[in-house]
Amino acid sequence: MATAEEPTSDVPALVEEAKAAGIDHIYDGPWEYFVGGGVTAFDCNADRKPDLVLAGGEGPARLFVNRSAPVGPLAFEERPLPLDDAELARVTGAYVLDIDDDGPLDLVLLRVGRNVTMRGGPDCTFERANRRFQLAGGRAWTTAFAATWEPDQRFPTLAFGHYVDRTAPGSPWGTCHDNELFRPLAGEAPVYAEPQLLSPGHCALSMLFTDWANTGSVALRITNDRQYHLDGEDQLWRLPDGRPAVPYRRADGWQRLTIWGMGIAEADLDADGLPEYALTSMGDTKLQALDPEALEGRPTYTDIAFARGATAHRPYTGPDRRPSTGWHAQFADLNNDSLLDLFIAKGNVEAMPDFAAFDPDNLLLGTWDEGFVEVGEQAGIALDRSGRGAAVVDLNLDGAFDLVVVNRGAPTSLFRNTGAARPWGTAPLGNWLQVELRQEPPNRHAVGARLAVRIGNRTLIRTLQVGGGHASGQQGWVHLGLGVAERAQVRVRWPDGAWSHPYRVFANNFVILERDRADALYWYPE
């Protein structure tokens, strides 16, 4: 397996441009904000460039509209969000989805206190929509979110994950809030009744809906912080059609996993239809795969992090050898070689003496022997900051992933991907493809769809999800590195399970696939 000194593919050169790009933002505040610190990346003005909403903790959440020229330096302009100062404060994270299925993406702000849902409009306009959708927002300490479209539902099912119940006797120990599952009522507008309480809650810090068994049905996976619940463990909840969610138990094959769970990311690394999961924690990152000896229909997992070189248990540079603390996790191909890489935001919880103080973010580059190799220092992201939420996203539409990292008590990092690092400068990365899916309502943005992209004798898999990471989500172009391939064949498994016909497309293009349309549409940045 490759070593840290021997990456088998190009290392991307990531250059910090936050202040020059117009983003000077800090996530900070007292102890409620040692978790959270999210960012959401999405297009709010129909120019197809990702805009950003950043959580502020004790300070205000802020919207930054993307003014970057295609293939140029990054540039952003701040726009106000139409909330009063009290509601802009206390935000821990942010996610986007089209709740009312009208086209523009809506914004969900997770808060310490009442969550705020905002309906998206044209040109990055928003209006408060808690009352419209009958989502009261509650009064919990919310730290996780996910959404999906269940079968035959016009509008999405929403899950909110909560942390410590600060009002309970004995808080914070053993006082985790129950999580909540909101299902839409039948009708022509999204209206949500009282939620189902997913009890017990074990202090959730990340969640996602996942088709773990490749059956077309999703379950809700939750990673929890064992710090505050004696019997805390990660959870997997099945969603029977039209019936309350129920947890998988030991008898179902679910095995107890007790970690300081902070972030979660999903990817189908070997294109077998069964996703793997990266789970961040204090001390190390888990990389779980379905156990090959597991009986059919039983979610029994084995950890393959050590075998694949995906461990992130100590800082990879600097003198501090104490254990690391991982937060946001995201799979993405940052060097366009067609292999998925793994980014992990890192940072001490709050001057914890048993854990590293200097704990730079990880960039684990995928290798051709199905492993990973650390290249964070070579890539330029080994800063002395305390990362929390993040987004790996192409901000200037040049076909290469850039990186946004929200740091606790330090400025937000904004890295532009300038190409493959070379001793004399940079060189072009591999070929790429970016895909947007469209279908008629319900679920016009095709959340839950799966892309199968064929290049040569390999298939690349991507799934459209709302959730995961750590307090951070994104919607927009689905990016795939193609390596040296100049063409690709794309098929879509739409959310209802129907497969599209093959689309044959050229590399280095933005492609729009409309359901039931014979040909792919090409889009060109201006």
Side-chain angles (χ1 to χ4, degrees):
M1 188 170 291
T3 67
E5 290 75 31
E6 299 173 346
T8 58
S9 297
D10 286 325
V11 175
L14 298 169
V15 178
E16 222 286 345
E17 293 187 353
K19 187 165 288 189
I23 293 182
D24 187 4
H25 178 81
I26 294 177
Y27 176 84
D28 208 355
W31 77 286
E32 291 98 335
Y33 307 106
F34 66 73
V35 297
V39 52
T40 188
F42 67 111
D43 175 20
C44 63
N45 57 5
D47 65 359
R48 292 196 165 87
K49 291 187 291 189
D51 309 298
L52 303 174
V53 170
L54 305 176
E58 192 173 43
R62 299 164 72 188
L63 166 65
F64 292 90
V65 177
N66 194 340
R67 303 301 189 197
S68 308
V71 196
L74 304 180
F76 287 84
E77 172 191 336
E78 185 172 5
R79 291 271 294 273
L81 286 168
L83 296 173
D84 60 34
D85 291 345
E87 286 188 315
L88 284 173
R90 305 175 71 84
V91 173
T92 60
Y95 289 83
V96 288
L97 76 159
D98 190 358
I99 294 175
D100 55 2
D101 216 12
D102 64 344
L105 292 170
D106 308 312
L107 177 63
V108 178
L109 297 178
L110 311 183
R111 300 180 68 249
V112 180
R114 192 179 306 277
N115 298 319
V116 175
T117 303
M118 305 187 74
R119 181 171 182 252
D123 194 25
C124 298
T125 56
F126 295 90
E127 60 178 279
R128 199 179 188 285
N130 286 51
R131 182 172 297 178
R132 173 190 285 266
F133 300 148
Q134 293 191 26
L135 287 167
R139 296 185 180 278
W141 180 357
T142 306
T143 45
F145 179 80
T148 190
W149 265 257
E150 293 188 73
D152 302 320
Q153 290 294 335
R154 177 72 174 83
F155 301 106
T157 293
L158 313 177
F160 290 82
H162 304 307
Y163 203 49
V164 171
D165 182 352
R166 298 163 299 138
T167 66
S171 176
W173 310 111
T175 59
C176 299
H177 248 122
D178 289 337
N179 301 315
E180 296 176 300
L181 185 73
F182 289 86
R183 282 170 153 152
L185 300 177
E188 294 302 312
V191 175
Y192 293 87
E194 287 297 311
Q196 177 192 348
L197 297 182
L198 304 182
S199 181
H202 291 161
C203 287
L205 284 178
S206 186
M207 54 176 40
L208 57 78
F209 288 100
T210 177
D211 183 5
W212 66 269
N214 194 24
T215 61
S217 299
V218 297
L220 178 63
R221 178 151 188 174
I222 307 174
T223 189
N224 297 303
D225 184 358
R226 73 178 183 189
Q227 182 79 6
Y228 297 107
H229 199 295
L230 181 63
D231 298 318
E233 61 178 300
D234 279 22
Q235 297 167 303
L236 184 69
W237 292 75
R238 69 176 95 226
L239 277 69
D241 289 347
R243 290 175 288 156
V246 293
Y248 282 88
R249 306 289 190 186
R250 308 292 178 271
D252 304 313
W254 182 249
Q255 296 177 319
R256 181 177 178 84
L257 177 65
T258 301
I259 58 175
W260 288 287
M262 295 176 174
I264 186 170
E266 173 189 315
D268 187 353
L269 297 174
D270 52 9
D272 66 350
L274 301 171
E276 286 74 42
Y277 303 92
L279 309 170
T280 59
S281 179
M282 293 194 295
D284 206 356
T285 293
K286 304 293 184 184
L287 182 60
Q288 287 198 327
L290 195 65
D291 191 323
E293 302 299 322
L295 298 176
E296 184 175 355
R298 294 171 67 86
T300 303
Y301 285 86
T302 184
D303 186 15
I304 60 173
F306 183 78
R308 297 290 185 91
T311 56
H313 55 293
R314 298 186 189 279
Y316 52 84
T317 187
D320 200 332
R321 307 308 298 160
R322 290 173 293 178
S324 282
T325 304
W327 297 91
H328 182 88
Q330 187 171 342
F331 289 101
D333 184 356
L334 278 90
N335 59 358
N336 288 346
D337 65 352
S338 78
L339 302 173
L340 279 171
D341 312 313
L342 176 59
F343 170 78
I344 303 172
K346 302 282 279 293
N348 195 294
V349 172
E350 196 80 331
M352 296 185 72
D354 294 332
F355 291 85
F358 176 73
D359 198 7
D361 302 335
N362 292 94
L363 178 54
L364 292 158
L365 213 63
T367 62
W368 289 102
D369 58 359
E370 298 186 342
F372 291 89
V373 60
E374 179 60 60
V375 298
E377 189 166 28
Q378 298 98 305
I381 65 171
L383 304 184
D384 187 9
R385 293 179 179 176
S386 188
R388 289 298 189 267
V392 185
V393 59
D394 182 2
L395 294 169
N396 60 354
L397 303 185
D398 64 352
F401 270 128
D402 308 300
L403 176 61
V404 187
V405 186
V406 176
N407 301 295
R408 174 158 168 76
T412 295
S413 302
L414 186 70
F415 296 95
R416 178 164 67 100
N417 191 337
T418 60
R422 294 287 190 270
W424 61 86
T426 58
L429 295 170
N431 293 330
W432 52 272
L433 181 70
Q434 300 206 46
V435 181
E436 177 184 301
L437 300 182
R438 295 177 182 170
Q439 65 176 7
E440 292 298 315
N443 190 12
R444 69 174 69 212
H445 295 279
V447 172
R450 180 177 298 178
L451 284 172
V453 179
R454 188 79 175 171
I455 54 171
N457 62 356
R458 299 177 59 237
T459 299
L460 314 178
I461 303 294
R462 302 289 188 272
T463 301
L464 279 67
Q465 294 172 302
V466 177
H470 176 67
S472 303
Q474 60 192 68
Q475 291 282 285
W477 295 106
V478 180
H479 176 283
L480 302 104
L482 302 183
V484 298
E486 297 179 349
R487 295 176 177 84
Q489 178 181 282
V490 183
R491 294 191 69 197
V492 182
R493 191 183 79 178
W494 296 97
D496 63 3
W499 280 95
S500 75
H501 64 274
Y503 295 90
R504 291 175 173 82
V505 296
F506 291 99
N508 302 324
N509 277 293
F510 295 87
V511 174
I512 300 169
L513 302 181
E514 294 184 352
R515 186 166 184 169
D516 299 325
R517 183 184 175 95
D519 300 319
L521 300 172
Y522 288 88
W523 178 83
Y524 303 98
E526 296 180 358

